[in-house]
Amino acid sequence: MRVHSFLLLFLLLLAPAARGAERDCGGEMRARVLAPVSPASKSIELDCSLRLAGTDIVTKQLVFKGAKSSGITLDCDGATLRAAPGADAGTRLSVLSSAPATQAGDDKWTPAENILIKNCVIEGAVRVRGMAANGEDKTLTASSRREGHSGRVRANAPSGIVFSRNKFIGQGTIPIYFAPGVHDSMILDSQIGGHSNSVAIYLDAESGDNTIKGNRISTETTLKQSTSDKARNALYSLFNRARGESNAPSLSGRELIAIDGSARNRIINNHFSNLDNGGIFLYRNCGEGGNIRHQTPNGNEIVNNVFYYDKFNGRIPAIWLASRNGNRSYCALDQGYPLGSSMSDLDHASENVVAWNQFHKFEPGQIIRDQGERNHVAENSKIAQPINRKAGCFFKDGQPSRFLADQAIVLTTMNAGLATCSVREHRCEDGVVSTRTLPCAAPG
């Protein structure tokens, strides 16, 4: 029953003007943002709320960093963030934590928090990061070898970052990357296209409680291949089939969303296409970079998404729970500690929910692969045309069913028969369970 993220969305979307009125950018800052990129001015840090015009083009990288950027809004109103002509697309927008003055021990980073970025056309990459750029970053190594690593990484990472109604156009690098520890953030009602040499969206180690909802995700993730590359990949595929290896990595491209040791995320009401290399894969990159992964990909909810297929033969799953399970050469690099992936190379994808998803052309059993533990897979269907509906909810304590349709209600009684008796009303609202407490009915 996680409602925190959607309370955050209410505050960010419905009251941005009041929240940031005293910090609106003036004309000088707007002019600096719109000035052409130069060797002396490649990026600019925002510390005030900014509204652009639909005809504006920003060639500098926009940076939101630490406390001074927290609580502000960027409303592009259709403006485009893109590199200067002839330059590499690179990262167009970054949300960062401020590093401590001395990076010793567990010095506290200062995360950027509660930022709204909306109505932008982003031709390039977006990065949200705290202590480290990715899960193998050496900044994490010492922490990963001690208890409490997940909590430390999350405490030092951005949260409450909302991307709403944007158009992301990948230019080779991963369009949207949530680095280790990023939490309680959202990607909403956006288009995510272009091309990527990897995935479209990456949720990295120790991150969690993020929401990806109402998006159209169609990024091309197939790598450009020569004739010899294609021949090699065909032989590789035949070899792995012959030995019964179902977890062999694809050599031709990546899935659209990677959930790498990230937990309790919601992926709801999205439309996926360009699925030849897979849709949503859950795994844990054991040992990569020598860093121990503590968190498993658990408690994620993949609900009421549409997966559109045309010519694809269904060999690679749309949803794959535990897609790696130690099948990487670097898994042994974190050995020697009684912690996380140092103790087990398996993904341990558990208690995830896969429900009410719609698959064009394929039966759910053909296109969902569950190699994890105690996952909840139900109510998925094959469709000829997408069904326009609100998402249902998974409620673990629901009776007689844990799968609730939109607007369904479950009542639970606390302290029955006592003066402190109360009833909790749990209502499914488009994929989210909201709860309110009511008094028990008086005795008749």
Side-chain angles (χ1 to χ4, degrees):
M1 296 174 290
R2 291 168 278 147
V3 296
H4 172 270
S5 293
F6 287 87
L7 175 61
L8 164 69
L9 177 62
F10 175 82
L11 295 174
L12 286 173
L13 293 182
L14 296 189
R19 179 177 45 83
E22 296 180 1
R23 299 178 62 196
D24 287 347
C25 295
E28 181 182 354
M29 173 60 85
R30 190 176 190 281
R32 290 174 58 202
V33 168
L34 294 176
V37 68
S38 68
S41 182
K42 296 181 179 180
S43 64
I44 185 166
E45 292 187 16
L46 287 179
D47 60 1
C48 51
S49 293
L50 176 65
R51 184 184 178 96
L52 299 172
T55 55
D56 289 337
I57 297 176
V58 179
T59 55
K60 293 175 181 174
Q61 180 187 154
L62 299 183
V63 178
F64 301 77
K65 189 173 183 179
K68 64 183 178 181
S69 293
S70 294
I72 67 175
T73 294
L74 170 65
D75 183 354
C76 290
D77 197 23
T80 299
L81 315 184
R82 72 158 66 108
D88 182 74
T91 299
R92 306 315 322 146
L93 188 150
S94 299
V95 181
L96 309 172
S97 297
S98 296
T102 59
Q103 295 187 23
D106 291 332
D107 284 350
K108 181 83 169 76
W109 294 57
T110 304
E113 299 175 320
N114 303 330
I115 295 169
L116 173 61
I117 297 161
K118 63 180 182 178
N119 303 320
C120 302
V121 178
I122 304 172
E123 298 182 7
V126 167
R127 296 293 180 264
V128 184
R129 60 166 289 186
M131 295 172 65
N134 51 47
E136 62 265 31
D137 195 310
K138 293 302 180 185
T139 306
L140 300 177
T141 304
S143 175
S144 79
R145 294 174 179 174
R146 306 195 316 277
E147 291 280 2
H149 173 62
S150 294
R152 282 189 294 275
V153 175
R154 285 171 65 93
N156 290 320
S159 66
I161 313 304
V162 176
F163 296 92
S164 177
R165 299 186 180 278
N166 298 293
K167 185 176 183 179
F168 301 89
I169 305 173
Q171 300 291 308
T173 54
I174 297 171
I176 306 171
Y177 200 114
F178 283 9
V182 173
H183 59 99
D184 292 293
S185 295
M186 298 182 171
I187 305 166
L188 304 172
D189 302 320
S190 297
Q191 299 176 49
I192 304 159
H195 68 277
S196 170
N197 295 328
S198 181
V199 300
I201 301 173
Y202 201 111
L203 306 181
D204 212 336
E206 324 306 332
S207 66
D209 300 290
N210 300 300
T211 298
I212 302 170
K213 186 175 184 181
N215 306 286
R216 296 188 72 89
I217 304 172
S218 60
T219 307
E220 176 59 66
T221 61
T222 298
L223 302 177
K224 294 181 180 179
Q225 300 177 71
S226 65
T227 301
S228 60
D229 289 333
K230 293 178 180 178
R232 179 196 58 175
N233 292 348
L235 289 172
Y236 172 83
S237 178
L238 288 172
F239 171 74
N240 285 304
R241 288 185 189 181
R243 65 176 185 164
E245 177 55 76
S246 61
N247 280 25
S250 169
L251 296 181
S252 60
R254 288 287 304 270
E255 66 275 14
L256 288 171
I257 297 182
I259 300 179
D260 176 6
S262 187
R264 301 174 306 281
N265 302 290
R266 286 195 180 99
I267 302 176
I268 301 173
N269 295 353
N270 302 285
H271 184 283
F272 293 89
S273 57
N274 262 345
L275 287 157
D276 287 13
N277 298 300
I280 305 169
F281 288 6
L282 282 67
Y283 60 91
R284 181 170 72 169
N285 249 346
C286 49
E288 188 176 19
N291 294 342
I292 300 169
R293 271 60 172 180
H294 287 230
Q295 184 172 254
T296 63
N298 73 88
N300 298 286
E301 298 179 8
I302 303 171
V303 176
N304 199 41
N305 302 284
V306 174
F307 295 82
Y308 177 78
Y309 290 92
D310 184 11
K311 299 178 181 178
F312 183 57
N313 62 13
R315 183 178 64 85
I316 300 175
I319 300 170
W320 195 344
L321 308 176
S323 65
R324 296 195 174 181
N325 272 335
N327 186 29
R328 290 299 185 273
S329 60
Y330 43 70
C331 281
L333 297 180
D334 65 356
Q335 290 183 351
Y337 298 85
L339 301 166
S341 61
S342 183
M343 297 177 64
S344 172
D345 290 342
L346 298 180
D347 293 332
H348 297 293
S350 63
E351 299 293 342
N352 298 290
V353 177
V354 179
W356 291 286
N357 296 290
Q358 307 174 41
F359 301 95
H360 183 262
K361 185 178 173 180
F362 296 105
E363 295 291 345
Q366 295 176 271
I367 212 75
I368 299 173
R369 189 175 299 175
D370 181 4
Q371 295 178 299
E373 308 148 13
R374 304 181 307 283
N375 294 305
H376 310 281
V377 181
E379 308 293 338
N380 301 288
S381 59
K382 177 182 177 181
I383 58 166
Q385 296 292 331
I387 303 167
N388 185 16
R389 66 188 180 193
K390 291 187 176 181
C393 303
F394 178 79
F395 184 60
K396 191 172 183 178
D397 298 322
Q399 294 293 335
S401 174
R402 294 178 291 182
F403 298 90
L404 309 180
D406 180 61
Q407 298 306 314
I409 293 174
V410 171
L411 301 177
T412 56
T413 302
M414 309 293 293
N415 302 320
L418 302 178
T420 56
C421 177
S422 64
V423 173
R424 290 184 179 175
E425 178 189 272
H426 311 282
R427 181 188 296 269
C428 175
E429 297 180 297
D430 198 16
V432 180
V433 176
S434 63
T435 300
R436 64 172 181 162
T437 301
L438 305 170
C440 289

